[in-house]
Amino acid sequence: MIRSTIFLVLLLTLYPIPIQIQATPSIPNILGNNLIDQTCKKTPYYDLCIQTLVSCPESFHTDLEGLAKITVGAIAHKASAALRRIETILAKKEHSKPAVREALNACASRYRAVVEQDVPETLMSLRTGNYKFASRGTNDAATEAMSCEEDFAAGESPLSDLNVAVHDVSVVAAAIVQAVIES
Amino acid sequence: MGDHNQPFLPVSGDPECAPVLGDDVVVDGALHRPQPGSTKSKLLLAVFSGIFVVCLILAGGYDKSGVVKVAQLGGVDELGVGPIEMPAGSTIVRPAVSRGKSAGVSEKANFSPEQLLGGGEVIGDGLTEDFPWNNSMLSWQRTAFHFQPEKNWMNDPNGPLFYKGWYHFFYQYNPNAAVWGDIVWGHAVSRDMIHWLHLPLAMVADQWYDVQGVWTGSATILPDGKVMMLYTGSTNESVQVQNLAYPANHDDPLLLDWVKHPGNPVLVPPPGIHHKDFRDPTTAWKTSEGKWRITIGSKVNKTGIALIYDTEDFINFELKEGFLHGVPGTGMWECVDFYPVAVAGGNGLDTSVNGAGVRHVVKASLDDDRHDYYAIGTYDEEAGKWYPDNPAIDVGIGIRYDYGIFYASKTFFDQSKQRRVLWGWIGEWDSEAADVRKGWASLQGMPRTVVLDTKTGSNLLQWPVVESESLRLRSKEFKNVVAKPGAVVPIKLEAATQLDIVAEFELDKEAVERAVESDEEFKCSSSKGAAHRGALGPFGLLVLSEETLSEQTPVYFYVVKGKNATLRTYFCADQSRSSLANDVNKQIYGSYVPVLTGEKFAVRMLVDHSIIESFAQGGRSVITSRVYPTKAIYGAARLFLFNNGTEAGVTASLKVWQMNSAFIRPFPNL
C-alpha cells in the first residue's frame, strides 16, 4: 500500500513537469539542453554541479564564464566554512592531540591560500581572459583540500566533509574553467 | 533575483550567491512560498517539483564516495593530449610510500628493484614524520643558478634582447604576492645570461590600456639600433590590446626607463576576433617590401591561428588577409613565435633572414593544455603564409619544445654571438599554499640555443647556452660503470643538489640481439615509471634521491625492440616517488626520442635544487622537472645509476660537475 503510494507519487512527480513546462515556457528547463545542463555534463560531478548552480538564480541568466564564477564563489564559501571550523576546534585547547593540532594548522594555511590566493587569482583570470591561471587556481583548491585530508591519520580528520566538499566543487569549477578555455 | 515564475528555487538574499553545503540544500519553506497570482496548476507544479527535488537529493545527491583525483599540473603525455584526466571512483588515496630499509646500507647497495623501484606499498596512515612543509625544506627549493626574482610570482619571459653589451631580460611579475596577479614587467641584465643583476621594474600598470595587466611582449631592434617593444595590455574593460613602448634613453645601456607611446593602444582586436583572444605580439621581421611584419596569436572557434600585421612605424598597422597559419582543434595560441633556422645548422639567424637554405619555425603555447609546440616549415613571404613540412605534426599536434613543465617560451636572436636563444617559463608543481609560505613562485629555464637537427632534419636541438659551463667547479668522472639488470649503483659525490651531469649509456649488445621482439606500445605517461620493467629498460639516473630511496626522481631511457629488430627509445622522468609530500606533482612524462645508428644513449642534466633539466641525444628531446623532496635535500641528496630492465646490462660513463651559484642579486649602486 505504502510502496504503491510512493510509486504513484514518484510517477506523478515526473509526469507533470514536461507538460507544465510546455504550458509555462518561462520556467527554466534544467533537464533539457540548456547551458547549465550542458556545462555540468562536462564535469565529473554532474549532480553537485547542478546543485551548486541551480541554488544560485544568476546561473539562469549568465554565460559559461559566469557559471565558472559562481562555482568559484562556492569554493570560497566552503573554504571559509572550513577555516571557521578549524578556528573553533583549535579554540577548544583541551581536546586535540598534538598531531591533530599540527594538521589543523597546516590545513588552515591551505585554506587561507584557497580563499586569499586561489579564488582572487581565478576571478582575475576569468575577468581578463588569461584563463590558464583560473585553471591553476581551481585545481590548486582541489589539491589543498585533498592534502588537508591526507595530513590527518586515518579516522582523525574533523574536516572530512568539508574537505570533500571543497575538493569536489573545485574539481567542478576546474572543469567549467576548462570548458571556458576550449569554448 | 527571486523570479516568481521559478517557485522551486531558493531565493538568494546574498548578492554573491554563495551556495551552501550539500546537506543544507534541502526543501524548505522558500520552495513552497505561495506566489502572488499563482494558478492552481502552478501550485501543483511547485509541489511536484519540490518532491522531485527531494527525491533527487535522497537518491544520493552526488556520489560522495568517489573522490576524483585531479591530475597535477604540468606535463601530461608526450602527445600533449588532453589537459586533465579525471579518473573517478577512487577514494582519497594516501600517498604511496615505501619505507625501504634504513641504516646499514653498503657501498654497492643491493636494493631489490621490486622493493624500491616497484610500486610502493600504501602504509597504514600514509603520514611521515616530516609533514607539513618546514622552512628548511622550503628554503632549499630556491635555485642557485636559474633566473628568479628575489621573491614573489613570475611567469612569461618578455622582450629578451642583447643591447650595448648587456643581455636584457624582462618578465611577467607580481610585486605583491606569490601567485599570478597585478602583473607588471620585471627587468634584469647580465653580461653572460648567467650572472643576472636585478633592475627596477621596467613598466607598471599605470595606463587605462594596461591597468589590468602589463602582459607579454617582444622587442625588435631596428637597423639604426633603436628598440621597439610591443606588448599586450589588459585594459580597464578587460580588452586585450597591443601597445608600443621604447627606451626613454637609447644611450642608457641598462635601458632603465621606458616610455609608453602616447597614442597607445596601437592595435585593438580586429572584427571577428574576441577581445580576450588577442595577445603576445612577436618580434618583427622585414618583408621584401621593406615593411615590418609581426604575428599575434588568437583563435576562431577552436582553431588556433596566428594573425599577421604589417607596419612601417610600429604605430600604424595593416592587418593582412588570412592568417600566417592555423590548426583546427588547437584552441587559443598564446605566445606565438616565428623565426628562421639554417638548414645547415650552425649559427642562429636574424629574424628577418629568408631565402634558400632556411626553414621557418612556428611555435605556439596552447592555452588548452598548457604546453609549447613547434613545427618546421616553409614561409611564403608574398602570400604571408607558412606551411608545415609535415602536417601530421603541425603546430599544436606534434613536437613540443619540452616534455615537462615549460611554457610561454620565446626566442631572440643574439647578434653578439650569432645564435638563437630560447627562454621558457618554468612554473611550480607544488601547492600555492607552499608558494605563499616560501614567498616565491616560478623560475626561468636555463637559456638554450636552438638549431635545426641536421641529422634528422625534422626537429630542433636545444642545448644550455655555453656560458652555463662557466658555473662548473670540481668534476668527478665515472668510467664504464656496469649496472646489471635490477641494479642500483650509488654515484659517490660530495654533494648532489647543484650538478651538471653528462652521461652516456650502452646496452649490452648480446642481450639486445637476444631480446625478443615486442609489440609493446609504450608511453611514458601511461607506464609505471621506473618500475615499468622491460627487457631493455628502464635505465638512467636517480636524481635528488635519498639514501634509502624513500625519495627518488628517475630520469631514464626505455628501449623497445620492435619489428625487424628496430629499436625505439623513450626518454622519461618519473615523479611518482620524488617526494613524500602529498601536494606535489607525481606524474610520469616524456616522449619518444630518435636515437640514430651509432649513437649511444646520451643525456645532459642540470640539477639545481628544485629544478632538473634533462637533455637527451644532444637536445633532441628535453624534459624540465620541478621536484620538491622533503628528505633528499641539502647533504642528504644522492645520485644513483640504475638499471631496472630484466635482460640487458647497462654500461654508463658519466662526468659530474659541482655547479657554482650564479649570485643573482640586485644591480649594485643603482
Side-chain angles (χ1 to χ4, degrees):
Chain A
M1 175 61 189
I2 293 173
R3 218 192 280 169
S4 48
T5 308
I6 293 175
F7 177 79
L8 200 64
V9 166
L10 280 173
L11 205 63
L12 289 171
T13 306
L14 294 170
Y15 245 98
I17 288 182
I19 297 167
Q20 287 296 338
I21 282 167
Q22 280 152 25
T24 50
S26 58
I27 293 175
N29 175 14
I30 68 168
L31 305 170
N33 276 332
N34 74 354
L35 182 63
I36 294 178
D37 177 62
Q38 282 176 324
T39 302
C40 287
K41 282 191 170 122
K42 295 178 184 172
T43 75
Y45 296 126
Y46 176 85
D47 293 324
L48 171 63
C49 175
I50 293 284
Q51 229 173 53
T52 304
L53 293 176
V54 160
S55 65
C56 192
E58 284 87 355
S59 300
F60 294 91
H61 309 282
T62 188
D63 57 7
L64 193 55
E65 233 180 79
L67 295 181
K69 285 184 204 157
I70 289 168
T71 49
V72 173
I75 298 175
H77 188 94
K78 293 175 203 229
S80 302
L83 276 171
R84 283 195 299 275
R85 188 184 294 178
I86 293 173
E87 275 169 47
T88 306
I89 299 174
L90 286 174
K92 296 187 205 147
K93 291 194 169 62
E94 66 279 4
H95 285 306
S96 313
K97 293 158 53 173
V100 170
R101 298 186 72 80
E102 199 183 297
L104 283 169
N105 280 315
C107 285
S109 53
R110 293 192 194 281
Y111 277 114
R112 269 196 296 274
V114 171
V115 172
E116 294 167 14
Q117 315 288 343
D118 291 340
V119 166
E121 177 186 32
T122 301
L123 292 174
M124 181 70 175
S125 166
L126 287 169
R127 185 162 75 240
T128 56
N130 209 326
Y131 297 123
K132 59 187 174 290
F133 300 108
S135 183
R136 167 74 166 149
T138 49
N139 279 313
D140 186 68
T143 300
E144 305 291 359
M146 183 173 74
S147 301
C148 167
E149 186 65 14
E150 293 181 356
D151 283 343
F152 295 95
E156 294 205 343
S157 167
L159 300 171
S160 296
D161 58 329
L162 285 167
N163 285 335
V164 169
V166 172
H167 172 276
D168 292 355
V169 81
S170 300
V171 165
V172 167
I176 300 181
V177 165
Q178 188 62 23
V180 169
I181 290 174
E182 292 177 7
S183 67
Chain B
M1 292 182 64
D3 184 344
H4 70 270
N5 281 328
Q6 305 170 22
F8 59 92
L9 295 175
V11 174
S12 163
D14 180 347
E16 285 291 0
C17 184
V20 295
L21 284 172
D23 51 43
D24 286 346
V25 180
V26 292
V27 175
D28 62 17
L31 289 175
H32 300 293
R33 186 175 303 168
Q35 300 301 322
S38 61
T39 64
K40 194 172 174 194
S41 65
K42 277 189 184 171
L43 185 61
L44 209 62
L45 172 65
V47 171
F48 281 125
S49 306
I51 294 170
F52 179 76
V53 172
V54 172
C55 291
L56 191 72
I57 290 164
L58 292 176
Y62 60 96
D63 180 15
K64 282 193 165 110
S65 64
V67 173
V68 167
K69 277 263 296 272
V70 176
Q72 300 289 338
L73 303 169
V76 186
D77 65 27
E78 45 266 57
L79 295 180
V81 173
I84 299 174
E85 298 163 20
M86 303 222 206
S90 53
T91 52
I92 293 185
V93 173
R94 300 306 164 104
V97 171
S98 167
R99 291 286 160 100
K101 296 276 184 278
S102 54
V105 170
S106 64
E107 266 284 287
K108 245 188 167 239
N110 285 321
F111 298 110
S112 106
E114 283 79 14
Q115 191 176 355
L116 292 157
L117 298 179
E121 303 145 17
V122 178
I123 307 298
D125 61 7
L127 277 182
T128 75
E129 315 82 61
D130 294 312
F131 269 97
W133 295 104
N134 63 38
N135 288 331
S136 174
M137 296 169 188
L138 291 176
S139 53
W140 172 87
Q141 292 174 8
R142 250 188 109 78
T143 65
F145 54 88
H146 281 76
F147 180 82
Q148 55 182 129
E150 294 177 285
K151 59 178 182 171
N152 291 334
W153 166 275
M154 165 173 67
N155 54 295
D156 304 4
N158 296 156
L161 73 158
F162 181 81
Y163 186 79
K164 290 197 191 306
W166 290 96
Y167 288 98
H168 286 261
F169 182 70
F170 304 89
Y171 54 98
Q172 299 282 279
Y173 179 61
N174 184 346
N176 303 320
V179 299
W180 181 81
D182 297 343
I183 293 296
V184 298
W185 273 38
H187 188 191
V189 288
S190 159
R191 292 290 191 189
D192 60 0
M193 280 198 284
I194 300 290
H195 298 91
W196 292 95
L197 300 169
H198 295 303
L199 293 178
L201 300 177
M203 290 196 286
V204 297
D206 57 4
Q207 304 295 323
W208 66 268
Y209 50 77
D210 59 19
V211 67
Q212 294 213 79
V214 187
W215 287 357
T216 292
S218 308
T220 306
I221 305 182
L222 305 184
D224 63 1
K226 296 241 177 354
V227 178
M228 291 282 153
M229 192 75 82
L230 288 170
Y231 73 95
T232 300
S234 179
T235 71
N236 57 347
E237 290 177 349
S238 303
V239 178
Q240 295 169 8
V241 299
Q242 316 312 322
N243 304 305
L244 172 65
Y246 33 80
N249 177 6
H250 270 100
D251 291 328
D252 171 20
L254 295 183
L255 297 179
L256 285 176
D257 298 305
W258 290 77
V259 169
K260 296 178 184 175
H261 175 63
N264 278 335
V266 294
L267 271 176
V268 299
I273 295 296
H274 193 274
H275 65 272
K276 290 185 181 174
D277 295 335
F278 186 63
R279 53 187 181 273
D280 311 331
T282 63
T283 295
W285 63 94
K286 277 281 198 173
T287 69
S288 54
E289 289 177 342
K291 297 186 187 174
W292 291 103
R293 179 167 286 177
I294 63 166
T295 181
I296 301 177
S298 184
K299 69 169 179 176
V300 174
N301 295 322
K302 293 195 199 230
T303 298
I305 60 172
L307 300 162
I308 288 201
Y309 287 88
D310 282 2
T311 181
E312 296 185 71
D313 55 6
F314 289 83
I315 295 169
N316 301 288
F317 289 82
E318 176 202 342
L319 175 64
K320 303 301 285 181
E321 261 190 63
F323 320 125
L324 178 69
H325 193 58
V327 179
T330 53
M332 175 67 187
W333 282 13
E334 299 190 289
C335 298
V336 171
D337 199 4
F338 176 77
Y339 57 89
V341 288
V343 170
N347 285 340
L349 300 174
D350 180 280
T351 315
S352 297
V353 167
N354 200 359
V358 165
R359 321 280 320 116
H360 275 81
V361 174
V362 170
K363 166 263 168 186
S365 293
L366 292 200
D367 208 13
D368 280 11
D369 68 4
R370 273 77 71 188
H371 297 317
D372 279 8
Y373 294 83
Y374 73 85
I376 301 169
T378 307
Y379 172 48
D380 179 347
E381 202 249 51
E382 270 182 48
K385 293 251 175 261
W386 171 94
Y387 309 99
D389 288 344
N390 182 355
I393 49 169
D394 205 342
V395 180
I397 60 173
I399 307 176
R400 284 166 50 179
Y401 271 140
D402 191 300
Y403 290 90
I405 181 168
F406 185 87
Y407 194 69
S409 61
K410 182 183 292 299
T411 65
F412 76 103
F413 178 63
D414 170 8
Q415 68 274 25
S416 76
K417 290 196 167 172
Q418 300 286 304
R419 55 185 171 179
R420 183 150 292 268
V421 177
L422 173 69
W423 283 97
W425 164 42
I426 314 296
E428 296 288 324
W429 263 342
D430 65 355
S431 73
E432 293 204 9
D435 295 345
V436 169
R437 182 127 170 244
K438 72 195 190 194
W440 62 271
S442 298
L443 309 168
Q444 296 294 330
M446 175 61 62
R448 311 168 180 178
T449 52
V450 175
V451 293
L452 186 67
D453 185 348
T454 53
K455 291 183 186 156
T456 63
S458 54
N459 57 266
L460 300 170
L461 292 176
Q462 303 162 60
W463 199 249
V465 289
V466 66
E467 290 89 339
S468 63
E469 298 174 20
S470 71
L471 293 162
R472 290 172 169 173
L473 299 171
R474 315 161 283 293
S475 68
K476 261 182 112 166
E477 264 195 273
F478 306 82
K479 289 190 176 156
N480 301 318
V481 183
V482 172
K484 293 192 185 141
V488 177
V489 180
I491 304 290
K492 274 195 76 178
L493 300 167
E494 59 184 89
T497 57
Q498 289 173 213
L499 302 176
D500 188 349
I501 305 171
V502 172
E504 276 185 349
F505 306 85
E506 274 183 285
L507 282 169
D508 176 61
K509 286 195 182 61
E510 280 174 20
V512 173
E513 270 169 46
R514 265 194 329 258
V516 169
E517 284 179 12
S518 155
D519 57 2
E520 178 180 19
E521 290 199 19
F522 182 85
K523 255 168 59 160
C524 299
S525 57
S526 56
S527 75
K528 296 199 276 280
H532 188 109
R533 311 194 71 188
L536 306 175
F539 60 89
L541 298 174
L542 302 181
V543 191
L544 291 175
S545 299
E546 187 269 334
E547 184 75 30
T548 66
L549 300 190
S550 62
E551 291 180 336
Q552 48 174 280
T553 301
V555 179
Y556 59 94
F557 294 95
Y558 185 87
V559 181
V560 178
K561 183 177 183 183
K563 278 198 208 130
N564 303 322
T566 49
L567 298 180
R568 272 182 75 85
T569 305
Y570 299 85
F571 181 56
C572 316
D574 174 1
Q575 290 204 216
S576 61
R577 301 157 73 88
S578 59
S579 172
L580 298 173
N582 60 14
D583 55 356
V584 299
N585 184 25
K586 299 281 175 82
Q587 287 188 322
I588 302 158
Y589 43 93
S591 76
Y592 162 73
V593 61
V595 176
L596 308 179
T597 319
E599 285 184 359
K600 293 185 188 173
F601 302 99
V603 68
R604 179 176 175 194
M605 256 187 246
L606 295 177
V607 180
D608 186 5
H609 296 260
S610 59
I611 182 173
I612 304 170
E613 288 163 299
S614 309
F615 299 79
Q617 306 312 109
R620 219 170 262 152
S621 179
V622 188
I623 303 177
T624 300
S625 309
R626 293 301 311 279
V627 183
Y628 309 93
T630 64
K631 288 183 148 46
I633 59 178
Y634 298 113
R638 301 276 181 273
L639 181 70
F640 295 87
L641 164 69
F642 83 98
N643 175 10
N644 207 22
T646 55
E647 292 180 21
V650 167
T651 305
S653 295
L654 321 93
K655 191 161 181 183
V656 184
W657 288 265
Q658 298 295 325
M659 290 292 262
N660 203 354
S661 165
F663 303 110
I664 297 173
R665 63 201 188 281
F667 198 101
N669 305 323
L670 250 192

